[in-house]
Amino acid sequence: MVEFSRRKLLGAVGAAAAAATVGTTAAGCSDNRVGGAAGGDYDIPTFQAAPELDVQPYFTSETPGMENVYTEPVKTFFKSVDREPGSGGTVTTFQLTWGDPSMPLDDGNQYWAELNERLGVSFEPQFVPQPTFDQKFATMLASGEVPDLVFVNDQSAVNLQGIRDGAFADLSETLSGDNILKWPNLAARREEIWKASLKDGRIYQIPSVVWALTNLPVVRTDLVGQTSVGLAPTDADQLLTVLKEVTALGTGPGGQKVYGMNKYEPIMWRRLFKVGPDWQLNDDGDLVHATETENYKEMLTWLAQAWSEGVFDPVAMTTNPADIVSGAAFTWEAVGGMFTSPDGLVLKERDLPGATFDYFNLPGFDGSQQLVVRNIPYGRSTCISAAAAEDEDRLTEILNVLDYLSAPYGSEEALFIGSGIEGRHYNFDENGIPVSTGEHATELGVQYVAVVSGDNSYRGHPNQAPWAESFSQVLESMAQNSIDRPLTGLEGASDTFVAKGAQLQTLWDDFERGVVTGRESVDDLQSFVDNYKSQGGTQVKDEYTQALKDAGE
């Protein structure tokens, strides 16, 4: 439950965010003329917004990290691609898949056939399941046969190596400045997105648009409303009281067992204790790891106490969601699964009669505001084969295909790409939202997933309209108390982090969870930090420090 006024909410940025020392990011530089060792100077691609939609936002904001909020779906769809289809050649891809494999084109896949007709090319994807993606990516690179369009996760050592080894085209001059306006859907990306995704100062990847804020707490108002503190605890002590009193209730509506928390979510607690980014700048301007801060130590101490007092479900550390069967005062939820979904809080209340839910504005541990670390400003990316780009006409055709696949929300093209053919794959419901027919789903497996562009608003499903106000206020408050990472755009600059980042993260997670559950002690924190540094942390710090210097930060 949100208990603050809109006027107060839209006031000055919270003291926590204002006081945080994070430095200036590479993505925040104002000069659009850039360059690098791989070539001459060029201009960051010009941003051209996608056409305005026929619906008005429910909530608007200019706070960094916050997007507009909509509660109505678009009713009319614009045409985003105004050119003739391709010349009939072939465009190959190496693309990630999660679900069932696509029905082959030769078996009568009508979606694929329609896609080929609209693109004017023979679209020939290689489907790569997520569990084996990096392995097959390495095999693909080693073969020397690089498809025209390749899905790339630049946080992966194998994927990043492909960029460094020259497998993919340097698109800096091709997309420089107004050159990108030949492809308006590619141009529907703000300049900071391009800047954050540069490698050695050059453009090797077409980045996707992502939300800066993707997760938030949800509160069981029926449970928390029974506590002595009420629905708006103001600091960590009051929050712990709430967690203990909800746990003491034992059960909620329908006899379900309840706890203060039923799953351990590290980011929630790091926001509460204002821990900040994994790597941050101290008062002297030096990089330090979050585990070296006093706030992190206070967080571990508080969590260990909370665990010892039984406010967590005993299986809260599970990695299997099916293990969680209890209810909780607070849960950590994805925006996409809550506000933009037809289910979300509606389904939560329907599945548990008597329970009531709302979005929760997490406080800071000391009575101030929480500290939120924004996501890096881009998501999935696509690279183009360096060999294919040697032919200018072929490069243009590949970019035309990518431009079509990158069509933004509200366009005819995005409707087709995401939902298929009306009447076969989807129909519009009473709200004007395309809903799957439940048939021919495997035809859609050919969809390409890495090129989202355009307006990045939060588009709430009409079912979620009762929570639109609290959602907007909680997200706005989070944004006002959010900071960027000092290493935004430089994450791949540390070879050690690329190679050992996953190993270091596992080391950290294991120690933190051990302290919380009593297997380790807070008194061992310094020993852990020393071990973390010896396992590669010191090298990571030195490499990032040099990267910041090279970037002029």
Side-chain angles (χ1 to χ4, degrees):
M1 180 68 67
V2 181
E3 296 184 359
F4 45 81
S5 70
R6 180 180 174 87
R7 177 172 295 180
K8 180 178 179 182
L9 177 67
L10 297 178
V13 174
T21 305
V22 296
T24 304
T25 71
C29 301
S30 59
D31 186 1
N32 284 345
R33 194 69 177 168
V34 293
D41 290 347
Y42 67 96
D43 290 321
I44 288 294
T46 300
F47 170 64
Q48 178 175 276
E52 292 187 4
L53 305 179
D54 64 349
V55 291
Q56 295 300 310
Y58 173 87
F59 181 90
T60 62
S61 174
E62 296 182 358
T63 303
M66 183 60 183
E67 304 290 344
N68 292 342
V69 177
Y70 287 80
T71 56
E72 299 178 64
V74 65
K75 296 295 195 301
T76 58
F77 297 85
F78 63 87
K79 189 174 180 61
S80 73
V81 176
D82 187 19
R83 60 171 170 268
E84 293 298 315
S87 62
T90 297
V91 172
T92 58
T93 74
F94 186 89
Q95 63 189 67
L96 181 67
T97 59
W98 283 279
D100 295 331
S102 172
M103 173 191 289
L105 176 63
D106 293 342
D107 287 354
N109 187 324
Q110 293 188 29
Y111 175 87
W112 197 337
E114 177 69 14
L115 180 64
N116 281 348
E117 183 174 342
R118 292 185 180 216
L119 294 176
V121 302
S122 176
F123 188 70
E124 297 185 1
Q126 179 180 346
F127 303 113
V128 188
Q130 189 275 331
T132 61
F133 188 82
D134 276 6
Q135 176 187 345
K136 291 185 179 293
F137 192 101
T139 301
M140 176 267 293
L141 290 179
S143 73
E145 299 295 325
V146 179
D148 300 323
L149 295 173
V150 178
F151 175 97
V152 173
N153 169 20
D154 66 1
Q155 304 301 300
S156 158
V158 173
N159 290 205
L160 187 59
Q161 196 62 46
I163 296 176
R164 292 177 170 173
D165 288 348
F168 304 117
D170 182 342
L171 302 172
S172 304
E173 280 77 21
T174 302
L175 303 180
S176 175
D178 288 351
N179 290 349
I180 199 173
L181 299 182
K182 302 172 190 174
W183 302 282
N185 294 334
L186 299 185
R189 292 163 169 79
R190 296 191 180 276
E191 292 165 348
E192 61 264 25
I193 295 173
W194 293 103
K195 289 179 179 178
S197 65
L198 298 179
K199 298 294 180 288
D200 295 326
R202 310 292 292 179
I203 298 174
Y204 290 97
Q205 54 199 115
I206 308 292
S208 283
V209 175
V210 295
W211 291 322
L213 306 172
T214 51
N215 293 83
L216 75 170
V218 166
V219 58
R220 279 278 300 273
T221 55
D222 62 300
L223 300 177
V224 175
Q226 299 181 54
T227 67
S228 61
V229 173
L231 296 171
T234 59
D235 57 29
D237 289 340
Q238 287 194 3
L239 184 60
L240 182 56
T241 297
V242 170
L243 297 177
K244 290 192 292 187
E245 291 185 9
V246 168
T247 301
L249 293 174
T251 59
Q256 182 191 37
K257 177 67 176 174
V258 295
Y259 292 92
M261 296 293 302
N262 60 6
K263 194 171 191 309
Y264 181 74
E265 299 289 355
I267 301 302
M268 180 172 172
W269 308 117
R270 291 174 196 173
R271 289 182 181 180
L272 173 69
F273 278 86
K274 301 160 66 170
V275 171
D278 291 2
W279 289 101
Q280 51 194 271
L281 298 172
N282 64 15
D283 292 340
D284 296 326
D286 297 326
L287 273 181
V288 297
H289 195 260
T291 55
E292 299 178 88
T293 65
E294 188 60 33
N295 284 29
Y296 184 75
K297 184 175 183 179
E298 287 197 44
M299 181 193 83
L300 290 184
T301 302
W302 184 90
L303 285 169
Q305 178 188 350
W307 185 280
S308 70
E309 298 198 33
V311 305
F312 283 92
D313 186 322
V315 299
M317 295 292 179
T318 182
T319 57
N320 179 14
D323 292 339
I324 301 294
V325 297
S326 60
F330 302 96
T331 56
W332 185 245
E333 305 289 355
V335 168
M338 290 293 104
F339 191 65
T340 67
S341 165
D343 300 326
L345 299 186
V346 174
L347 184 61
K348 280 180 172 289
E349 292 192 347
R350 186 185 305 149
D351 284 349
L352 194 58
T356 54
F357 296 83
D358 205 350
Y359 297 104
F360 177 67
N361 193 46
L362 191 71
F365 75 104
D366 55 359
S368 62
Q369 301 295 318
Q370 64 179 311
L371 181 61
V372 178
V373 180
R374 297 194 291 270
N375 297 331
I376 60 173
Y378 70 96
R380 303 162 181 160
S381 294
T382 296
C383 292
I384 295 177
S385 162
E390 292 176 358
D391 183 312
E392 185 174 349
D393 290 338
R394 179 149 175 70
L395 175 58
T396 297
E397 183 156 82
I398 293 170
L399 286 168
N400 288 347
V401 168
L402 198 56
D403 186 58
Y404 187 100
L405 297 176
S406 190
Y409 172 79
S411 68
E412 297 175 4
E413 295 83 2
L415 175 63
F416 166 71
I417 292 166
S419 299
I421 301 168
E422 185 177 5
R424 180 173 179 83
H425 303 108
Y426 75 92
N427 290 305
F428 289 105
D429 68 9
E430 66 276 9
N431 295 308
I433 296 174
V435 176
S436 173
T437 62
E439 299 179 349
H440 315 294
T442 59
E443 292 183 357
L444 300 179
V446 72
Q447 293 166 334
Y448 197 82
V449 298
V451 286
V452 179
S453 74
D455 180 26
N456 199 33
S457 295
Y458 295 107
R459 302 196 177 278
H461 192 279
N463 289 354
Q464 308 304 329
W467 294 278
E469 180 69 11
S470 61
F471 175 84
S472 301
Q473 291 185 347
V474 169
L475 262 291
E476 174 69 21
S477 180
M478 286 167 53
Q480 289 190 6
N481 295 288
S482 70
I483 58 173
D484 200 359
R485 307 158 193 257
L487 295 174
T488 292
L490 299 175
E491 291 87 353
S494 166
D495 290 340
T496 305
F497 179 76
V498 170
K500 294 185 176 181
Q503 172 187 327
L504 289 170
Q505 185 63 51
T506 298
L507 193 70
W508 183 8
D509 287 344
D510 183 65
F511 175 74
E512 179 173 306
R513 291 168 187 266
V515 172
V516 173
T517 59
R519 175 170 45 86
E520 304 271 4
S521 170
V522 177
D523 295 337
D524 297 326
L525 178 58
Q526 187 57 54
S527 295
F528 162 76
V529 170
D530 294 341
N531 184 43
Y532 186 92
K533 290 179 177 179
S534 70
Q535 295 292 322
T538 296
Q539 291 172 280
V540 171
K541 174 185 174 179
D542 291 345
E543 290 162 2
Y544 279 147
T545 298
Q546 186 61 50
L548 287 169
K549 289 180 180 178
D550 293 343
E553 305 303 336

Coordinates of all heavy atoms in Angstrom, one line a residue, residues 384-417:
I384 N 26.5 -8.5 -37.0 CA 26.4 -8.8 -38.4 C 27.8 -9.4 -38.8 O 28.8 -8.9 -38.4 CB 26.1 -7.6 -39.3 CG1 24.7 -7.2 -39.0 CG2 26.3 -7.9 -40.8 CD1 24.2 -5.9 -39.8
S385 N 27.8 -10.5 -39.6 CA 29.0 -11.1 -40.0 C 29.9 -10.2 -40.7 O 29.5 -9.4 -41.6 CB 28.6 -12.3 -40.9 OG 29.8 -12.7 -41.7
A386 N 31.2 -10.1 -40.4 CA 32.2 -9.3 -41.0 C 32.3 -9.6 -42.5 O 32.4 -8.8 -43.4 CB 33.5 -9.4 -40.3
A387 N 32.2 -10.9 -42.8 CA 32.4 -11.4 -44.2 C 31.2 -10.9 -45.0 O 31.3 -10.4 -46.2 CB 32.5 -12.9 -44.3
A388 N 30.0 -11.0 -44.5 CA 28.8 -10.5 -45.2 C 28.8 -9.0 -45.5 O 28.3 -8.5 -46.5 CB 27.5 -10.9 -44.5
A389 N 29.4 -8.3 -44.5 CA 29.4 -6.8 -44.6 C 30.4 -6.3 -45.6 O 30.4 -5.1 -45.9 CB 29.7 -6.2 -43.2
E390 N 31.2 -7.1 -46.1 CA 32.2 -6.7 -47.1 C 31.5 -6.2 -48.4 O 32.1 -5.4 -49.1 CB 33.2 -7.8 -47.4 CG 34.1 -8.1 -46.3 CD 35.1 -9.3 -46.5 OE1 35.0 -9.8 -47.6 OE2 35.9 -9.6 -45.7
D391 N 30.4 -6.7 -48.7 CA 29.6 -6.3 -49.9 C 28.6 -5.3 -49.4 O 27.7 -5.6 -48.6 CB 28.9 -7.5 -50.5 CG 28.1 -7.2 -51.8 OD1 27.4 -6.2 -51.8 OD2 28.3 -7.9 -52.8
E392 N 28.7 -4.1 -49.9 CA 27.8 -3.0 -49.4 C 26.4 -3.2 -49.7 O 25.5 -3.0 -48.8 CB 28.2 -1.7 -50.1 CG 27.5 -0.5 -49.5 CD 28.0 0.9 -50.1 OE1 29.1 0.9 -50.7 OE2 27.3 1.9 -49.9
D393 N 26.0 -3.8 -50.9 CA 24.6 -4.0 -51.2 C 24.1 -5.1 -50.3 O 22.9 -5.1 -49.8 CB 24.5 -4.5 -52.6 CG 24.7 -3.3 -53.6 OD1 24.6 -2.1 -53.2 OD2 25.0 -3.6 -54.8
R394 N 24.9 -6.1 -50.0 CA 24.5 -7.2 -49.1 C 24.3 -6.7 -47.7 O 23.3 -7.1 -47.0 CB 25.5 -8.4 -49.2 CG 25.1 -9.5 -48.3 CD 25.6 -10.8 -48.8 NE 25.3 -11.9 -47.9 CZ 24.2 -12.4 -47.6 NH1 23.1 -11.9 -48.2 NH2 24.0 -13.4 -46.8
L395 N 25.2 -5.9 -47.2 CA 25.1 -5.3 -45.9 C 23.8 -4.5 -45.8 O 23.1 -4.6 -44.8 CB 26.3 -4.4 -45.6 CG 26.2 -3.6 -44.3 CD1 26.1 -4.6 -43.1 CD2 27.4 -2.7 -44.1
T396 N 23.5 -3.7 -46.8 CA 22.2 -2.9 -46.8 C 21.0 -3.9 -46.7 O 20.1 -3.6 -45.9 CB 22.1 -2.1 -48.1 OG1 23.2 -1.1 -48.1 CG2 20.8 -1.3 -48.1
E397 N 21.0 -5.0 -47.4 CA 19.9 -5.9 -47.4 C 19.7 -6.5 -46.0 O 18.6 -6.7 -45.5 CB 20.0 -7.0 -48.4 CG 18.8 -7.9 -48.5 CD 18.6 -8.6 -49.8 OE1 19.3 -9.6 -50.1 OE2 17.8 -8.1 -50.6
I398 N 20.9 -6.9 -45.4 CA 20.8 -7.5 -44.1 C 20.3 -6.5 -43.0 O 19.5 -6.8 -42.2 CB 22.2 -8.0 -43.7 CG1 22.7 -9.1 -44.5 CG2 22.3 -8.4 -42.2 CD1 24.1 -9.5 -44.4
L399 N 20.8 -5.2 -43.2 CA 20.3 -4.2 -42.3 C 18.8 -3.9 -42.5 O 18.0 -3.6 -41.6 CB 21.1 -2.9 -42.4 CG 22.5 -2.9 -41.8 CD1 23.3 -1.7 -42.3 CD2 22.4 -3.0 -40.3
N400 N 18.3 -4.0 -43.7 CA 16.9 -3.9 -44.0 C 16.1 -5.0 -43.3 O 15.0 -4.7 -42.7 CB 16.6 -4.0 -45.5 CG 17.1 -2.8 -46.3 OD1 17.4 -1.7 -45.7 ND2 17.1 -2.9 -47.6
V401 N 16.6 -6.2 -43.3 CA 15.9 -7.3 -42.6 C 15.9 -7.0 -41.1 O 14.9 -7.1 -40.4 CB 16.6 -8.6 -42.9 CG1 16.1 -9.7 -41.9 CG2 16.4 -9.0 -44.3
L402 N 17.1 -6.6 -40.6 CA 17.2 -6.3 -39.1 C 16.2 -5.1 -38.7 O 15.6 -5.1 -37.7 CB 18.6 -6.0 -38.8 CG 19.0 -6.0 -37.3 CD1 18.7 -7.4 -36.7 CD2 20.5 -5.7 -37.1
D403 N 16.1 -4.1 -39.6 CA 15.2 -3.0 -39.4 C 13.8 -3.5 -39.3 O 13.0 -3.0 -38.4 CB 15.4 -2.0 -40.5 CG 14.6 -0.7 -40.3 OD1 14.9 -0.1 -39.2 OD2 13.8 -0.3 -41.1
Y404 N 13.4 -4.4 -40.1 CA 12.0 -4.9 -40.1 C 11.8 -5.7 -38.8 O 10.8 -5.5 -38.1 CB 11.8 -5.8 -41.3 CG 10.3 -6.3 -41.4 CD1 9.4 -5.7 -42.3 CD2 9.8 -7.3 -40.6 CE1 8.1 -6.1 -42.3 CE2 8.5 -7.7 -40.6 CZ 7.6 -7.1 -41.5 OH 6.3 -7.5 -41.6
L405 N 12.8 -6.5 -38.4 CA 12.6 -7.3 -37.2 C 12.6 -6.5 -36.0 O 12.1 -6.9 -34.9 CB 13.7 -8.4 -37.1 CG 13.8 -9.4 -38.2 CD1 15.0 -10.3 -38.1 CD2 12.5 -10.3 -38.2
S406 N 13.2 -5.2 -36.1 CA 13.3 -4.3 -35.0 C 12.1 -3.4 -34.8 O 12.1 -2.4 -34.1 CB 14.6 -3.5 -35.1 OG 14.9 -2.8 -34.0
A407 N 11.0 -3.7 -35.5 CA 9.9 -2.8 -35.5 C 9.3 -2.6 -34.1 O 9.2 -3.5 -33.3 CB 8.8 -3.3 -36.4
P408 N 9.0 -1.3 -33.7 CA 8.6 -1.0 -32.3 C 7.1 -1.4 -32.1 O 6.3 -1.6 -33.0 CB 8.8 0.5 -32.2 CG 8.7 1.0 -33.6 CD 9.1 -0.1 -34.5
Y409 N 6.8 -1.4 -30.8 CA 5.5 -1.6 -30.3 C 4.5 -0.6 -31.0 O 4.8 0.6 -31.1 CB 5.4 -1.4 -28.8 CG 3.9 -1.5 -28.3 CD1 3.3 -2.7 -28.1 CD2 3.3 -0.3 -28.0 CE1 2.0 -2.7 -27.7 CE2 2.0 -0.3 -27.5 CZ 1.3 -1.5 -27.4 OH 0.0 -1.5 -26.9
G410 N 3.4 -1.1 -31.4 CA 2.4 -0.2 -32.0 C 2.4 -0.2 -33.6 O 1.6 0.4 -34.2
S411 N 3.4 -0.9 -34.1 CA 3.5 -1.0 -35.6 C 2.9 -2.3 -36.1 O 2.8 -3.3 -35.4 CB 5.0 -1.0 -36.0 OG 5.7 -2.1 -35.6
E412 N 2.5 -2.2 -37.4 CA 2.0 -3.4 -38.0 C 3.0 -4.5 -38.0 O 2.7 -5.7 -37.8 CB 1.6 -3.1 -39.5 CG 0.5 -2.0 -39.6 CD 0.2 -1.7 -41.0 OE1 0.9 -2.3 -41.9 OE2 -0.6 -0.8 -41.3
E413 N 4.3 -4.2 -38.3 CA 5.3 -5.2 -38.3 C 5.5 -5.9 -37.0 O 5.7 -7.1 -36.9 CB 6.6 -4.5 -38.8 CG 6.6 -3.9 -40.2 CD 5.9 -2.5 -40.3 OE1 5.6 -2.0 -39.2 OE2 5.8 -2.0 -41.4
A414 N 5.6 -5.1 -35.9 CA 5.8 -5.7 -34.6 C 4.6 -6.6 -34.2 O 4.8 -7.6 -33.6 CB 5.9 -4.6 -33.5
L415 N 3.4 -6.2 -34.6 CA 2.2 -7.1 -34.4 C 2.4 -8.4 -35.1 O 2.1 -9.5 -34.5 CB 0.9 -6.4 -34.8 CG -0.3 -7.2 -34.7 CD1 -0.7 -7.5 -33.3 CD2 -1.5 -6.4 -35.4
F416 N 2.8 -8.4 -36.3 CA 3.0 -9.6 -37.0 C 4.1 -10.4 -36.5 O 4.0 -11.6 -36.2 CB 3.3 -9.4 -38.5 CG 3.8 -10.6 -39.3 CD1 3.0 -11.7 -39.5 CD2 5.1 -10.6 -39.6 CE1 3.5 -12.8 -40.2 CE2 5.6 -11.7 -40.3 CZ 4.8 -12.8 -40.5
I417 N 5.3 -9.8 -36.2 CA 6.4 -10.5 -35.7 C 6.1 -11.2 -34.4 O 6.5 -12.4 -34.2 CB 7.6 -9.5 -35.5 CG1 8.1 -9.0 -36.9 CG2 8.8 -10.2 -34.8 CD1 9.1 -7.9 -36.8

